[in-house]
Amino acid sequence: MSDSKAIFLKDATVNAADGDQRAFIRKALGGYYLNRDLQKARYRDWERARDAASMAKWSAVNDLADVLEKFVGNFERNGGVVHWARDAAEARAIILKIAEDNKAKAIVKSKCMTSEEIHLNDALEKAGFGVVESDLGEFIQQLRGEAPYHFVFPCMHVKREAISELFTKHLGTAPTDSPEELTMIARRHLRQLYVDADIGITGANFLVAETGQISITENEGNARLTAALPRIHIALSGIEKVVRHLDDLSVLLPMLATAGAGQPMTCYNTLYSGPRKKGECDGPEQFHLVLLDNARTRLLADPEQRDALHCIRCGACLNVCPIFKNIGGLAYGTTYQGPIGSVITPHLRGLKQWNHLSGASSLCGACTDACPVRIDLHHHLLHNRRNAAKESPTLFDRVFHHGFNFVIKRPWLFATGGRIFRATLPLLQKLPVPYMRAWMKTRDLPKAPARSFRDQWKNEHA
Amino acid sequence: MAPDGGESADASLAILAEQLAKLKAVLIRVPDQAAAAQAVAELATAKNWKKVAYHGHPLLRPVAAALPCEAWEADASFEKQKLEGCDAGLTTCESIVAQLGAILVSSASSGGRALSILPHVHVVVAEAGQVVPDLGSALALAKARHGDQMPSMLSFITGPSRTGDIERILVLGAHGPKELYLVLVG
Ligand code: SF4
């Protein structure tokens, strides 16, 4: 069993039994369901909007090399600098070098899951750079020393009392149980940090090939401040974030907000096309964009699951997933949690280590229904199971499948087996078969029929 | 397929008013420039603003001149600390999207990147003719206006800054402005 699987099983068992925490998550998501449906109802045709959104991503991802090249040409023409990173190590080295070359003292970051993917904070801190997360949820998780629980709502599992205690401990503020007061504490604390920072690091939600702009979506205004005040702006993005046309955003931006958070539009959707231009009074002097592959091209090479690269990271599939809601986001042990994480992590980090996530699904299809860009999520989980059985079958796979194959091809053996099985079925109820014990605890086996189906059929149709 | 943005100018304005109210942004409609200046001055008095930073734009200069408090044209020199100390930032915008209640500001129309995000209150003064039905129209307009010389920042602002990070409970004023006013002339 891989380490990641052992941790997953342990965490999932503990979390699924924690009724309190599950109720808390359900309550936190309650408002989301309502708002999402209200906003969806405003669309003249939500299903057609999904078609348009998925087409926009499909058309860019299926022609990725050309579209990326076009984007980079326009981005550079606007005065930005592009850095290509094959993997996490290269991306970290590029960003560290920019920080070192510019003798950076303070770094402020806005929310960027790609930076979690490459463990950027660790690398920066080890090299002696102070780095502060400015998104409230990420700030709280940074203080807790914990990975994000949900890639859109990073600290949705933390109760206000715990946040108050955390702030008292780290910031020396008086305890409070008001979310508003807690938000204001973070606001006051972070304000000066933006003003003092010399590097701002952000992610990117979309790269617009037509204009060479990057688009950043956020609610709090922290990314706006991060890209406005420090003298250097570094954006980190996966190569799959590109779209062809500026107009593609007219469908993608509202859908991202509605599907993921039940909003008509996220509070700030900002397009950046370079460093400060001549005649502009502020903005950074340098604008760097790190374009990360990190096994995305491996996923691109798989025609069956390529559409997983269409993901706009809205988080809708997590919000509706019965597995996510019961085991929580931390159990996954991945950068991207929930159904999309279960689909792509085996591609990004190895099928052998991460195949157990393919089973972390009830195959109800709620994720596929929720996805604004129509990624066939639950079928991809099945595809991963099939690929894993082919690539590195487990002992169970081998014994069971070969055994089944052997028996099914020999009618006499099948009939004998059936007879034995029918006779011993009542015993099975009491037998402590390890795989079945949990299942049997609350279920009774049916009574075995006296004769097999084939026998009955033969008699009736004789 | 996308949400309705209104078939006529009046319909768009009605949708805009409804969206802004839901977003907890305040829409103030005034007949002319003088009334705009008066409305902002009244806000400044009511909220007891001491210092307001503004973008030096023909639509804004008369408004700034009528303010009962200190007004600072923030275009020329960029001082982060001084801007942080301002109670409000006064900008124009590129366009306003009725469909979503979004206001498109840019580093050109808003005197840079920070003026519309760093002060605690953001006041936008715009003309009613700047309202467009939907996001697509706003993007097309920006493209037509700037061509391949886009301002280095274009930002759709949809209500005052907000967060739901603590127990998914909505709080306004996370890092950006806590209050957003749109003064629409005409
Ligand atoms: S897979 Fe679809 S639903 Fe899930 S985060 Fe990505 S875009 Fe959203």
Side-chain angles (χ1 to χ4, degrees):
Chain A
M1 194 188 295
S2 68
D3 292 352
S4 43
K5 181 176 179 180
I7 296 169
F8 174 80
L9 287 178
K10 192 169 140 265
D11 282 9
T13 312
V14 173
N15 297 351
D18 186 344
D20 254 9
Q21 185 64 23
R22 279 166 44 197
F24 181 72
I25 296 294
R26 263 204 311 280
K27 182 158 167 266
L29 285 171
Y32 156 79
Y33 298 131
L34 183 68
N35 288 328
R36 177 201 58 190
D37 290 346
L38 283 173
Q39 290 307 328
K40 267 165 74 169
R42 285 193 64 227
Y43 280 67
R44 278 168 286 189
D45 191 336
W46 174 256
E47 293 305 322
R48 270 187 59 206
R50 288 176 77 198
D51 290 341
S54 90
M55 273 303 280
K57 285 299 298 182
W58 178 86
S59 126
V61 166
N62 268 270
D63 209 0
L64 192 59
D66 280 355
V67 183
L68 259 182
E69 202 177 298
K70 178 147 190 247
F71 164 76
V72 168
N74 286 328
F75 184 84
E76 287 173 340
R77 189 178 46 77
N78 292 332
V81 185
V82 170
H83 308 262
W84 297 94
R86 252 173 304 224
D87 54 26
E90 279 190 16
R92 288 192 300 262
I94 291 164
I95 294 172
L96 273 176
K97 179 151 191 317
I98 299 172
E100 275 155 12
D101 287 353
N102 290 284
K103 303 196 169 47
K105 285 193 271 310
I107 301 176
V108 68
K109 256 183 77 195
S110 72
K111 191 165 166 17
C112 169
M113 288 316 294
T114 319
S115 80
E116 300 283 341
E117 186 183 326
I118 66 166
H119 302 293
L120 181 61
N121 287 7
D122 264 4
L124 286 169
E125 274 158 16
K126 274 203 195 100
F129 297 104
V131 44
V132 179
E133 292 288 350
S134 59
D135 172 84
L136 178 59
E138 294 282 346
F139 177 64
I140 290 169
Q141 288 308 90
Q142 191 183 26
L143 290 182
R144 286 168 63 86
E146 194 174 70
Y149 182 93
H150 177 304
F151 58 74
V152 178
F153 314 138
C155 69
M156 67 177 297
H157 63 306
V158 188
K159 301 195 170 116
R160 62 183 86 177
E161 298 79 30
I163 298 173
S164 170
E165 262 172 46
L166 192 73
F167 284 0
T168 306
K169 183 170 153 214
H170 291 273
L171 311 176
T173 49
T176 166
D177 63 359
S178 138
E180 166 135 28
E181 191 38 48
L182 289 167
T183 304
M184 291 312 132
I185 291 173
R187 178 186 171 101
R188 282 192 294 272
H189 176 74
L190 288 164
R191 282 238 137 192
Q192 196 55 39
L193 299 179
Y194 296 113
V195 176
D196 294 338
D198 30 29
I199 293 188
I201 299 179
T202 69
N205 295 82
F206 301 100
L207 315 171
V208 185
E210 179 190 8
T211 55
Q213 292 165 304
I214 72 166
S215 174
I216 301 179
T217 294
E218 50 142 354
N219 269 315
E220 299 182 0
N222 58 314
R224 285 275 317 264
L225 288 164
T226 303
L229 301 178
R231 69 192 157 85
I232 298 162
H233 176 192
I234 305 174
L236 171 64
S237 168
I239 49 174
E240 82 285 11
K241 296 285 172 74
V242 75
V243 293
R244 282 178 189 273
H245 308 290
L246 188 58
D247 192 51
D248 291 338
L249 299 189
S250 67
V251 54
L252 289 168
L253 295 179
M255 289 190 79
L256 171 62
T258 296
Q263 289 177 277
M265 177 96 149
T266 319
C267 199
Y268 300 100
N269 282 282
T270 311
L271 289 152
Y272 294 101
S273 62
R276 173 195 309 197
K277 289 225 158 80
K278 235 173 123 187
E280 292 181 348
C281 69
D282 62 2
E285 296 150 15
Q286 297 173 32
F287 183 24
H288 299 271
L289 174 64
V290 182
L291 287 174
L292 178 71
D293 176 359
N294 214 22
R296 284 164 174 77
T297 42
R298 207 186 301 157
L299 194 48
L300 186 68
D302 180 352
E304 193 173 53
Q305 294 191 47
R306 183 177 296 157
D307 69 344
L309 290 173
H310 299 179
C311 175
I312 57 175
R313 303 279 187 263
C314 70
C317 55
L318 283 65
N319 298 346
V320 299
C321 177
I323 308 296
F324 176 85
K325 284 188 280 185
N326 282 316
I327 69 170
L330 298 172
Y332 288 83
T334 55
T335 310
Y336 308 102
Q337 308 79 15
I340 184 66
S342 299
V343 168
I344 62 175
T345 308
H347 290 268
L348 305 183
R349 291 160 74 173
L351 185 56
K352 206 164 171 183
Q353 277 275 322
W354 296 93
N355 179 46
H356 57 279
L357 293 181
S358 317
S361 165
S362 63
L363 298 180
C364 64
C367 48
T368 307
D369 279 346
C371 179
V373 290
R374 291 199 188 284
I375 300 173
D376 199 0
L377 291 157
H378 69 295
H379 283 113
H380 288 339
L381 292 173
L382 287 176
H383 297 147
N384 279 347
R385 291 184 195 180
R386 178 204 59 204
N387 295 348
K390 234 188 263 166
E391 251 177 54
S392 51
T394 58
L395 186 66
F396 177 78
D397 281 340
R398 275 192 306 246
V399 171
F400 186 78
H401 289 142
H402 283 136
F404 184 75
N405 204 9
F406 186 83
V407 172
I408 202 79
K409 280 182 184 155
R410 292 165 179 79
W412 61 271
L413 189 55
F414 185 77
T416 317
R419 218 167 294 132
I420 297 173
F421 190 66
R422 281 196 302 281
T424 53
L425 196 63
L427 275 179
L428 210 62
Q429 181 85 45
K430 295 185 195 93
L431 226 62
V433 183
Y435 273 112
M436 299 179 76
R437 212 180 301 150
W439 178 263
M440 296 294 203
K441 237 193 239 164
T442 51
R443 290 170 183 84
D444 289 329
L445 283 174
K447 264 214 193 78
R451 287 153 53 212
S452 76
F453 176 77
R454 293 197 307 167
D455 256 5
Q456 295 178 36
W457 182 271
K458 232 187 259 158
N459 272 0
E460 282 187 24
H461 295 266
Chain B
M1 56 190 177
D4 191 13
E7 301 289 332
S8 65
D10 281 346
S12 290
L13 279 169
I15 293 171
L16 175 68
E18 195 186 319
Q19 288 308 309
L20 287 173
K22 282 191 191 146
L23 291 162
K24 303 196 162 50
V26 182
L27 174 65
I28 304 173
R29 295 201 60 185
V30 293
D32 53 33
Q33 279 261 16
Q38 198 192 337
V40 180
E42 277 166 15
L43 255 181
T45 310
K47 301 270 170 182
N48 197 20
W49 293 340
K50 303 263 178 329
K51 195 166 23 162
V52 174
Y54 69 98
H55 168 50
H57 183 276
L59 206 58
L60 299 175
R61 286 208 178 96
V63 177
L67 279 172
C69 61
E70 186 188 334
W72 170 44
E73 191 171 310
D75 292 352
S77 67
F78 174 51
E79 296 165 59
K80 307 182 210 180
Q81 207 72 54
K82 189 165 168 193
L83 193 58
E84 207 280 319
C86 287
D87 298 298
L90 192 56
T91 75
T92 52
C93 66
E94 298 267 321
S95 57
I96 300 153
V97 183
Q99 174 194 37
L100 304 162
I103 302 169
L104 178 61
V105 301
S106 77
S107 40
S109 67
S110 320
R113 298 187 185 194
L115 184 55
S116 56
I117 192 77
L118 191 55
H120 300 273
V121 177
H122 182 199
V123 183
V124 181
V125 181
E127 284 167 11
Q130 287 178 275
V131 176
V132 297
D134 52 27
L135 199 54
S137 322
L139 291 168
L141 191 65
K143 230 164 55 178
R145 186 176 295 157
H146 302 288
D148 58 7
Q149 290 301 315
M150 287 277 191
S152 74
M153 183 203 80
L154 279 166
S155 186
F156 289 98
I157 299 178
T158 315
S161 151
R162 60 196 57 211
T163 184
D165 273 347
I166 300 174
E167 298 190 5
R168 307 294 317 131
I169 295 168
L170 177 72
V171 176
L172 295 185
H175 293 286
K178 289 181 196 168
E179 296 167 33
L180 175 65
Y181 297 91
L182 173 62
V183 182
L184 210 52
V185 184

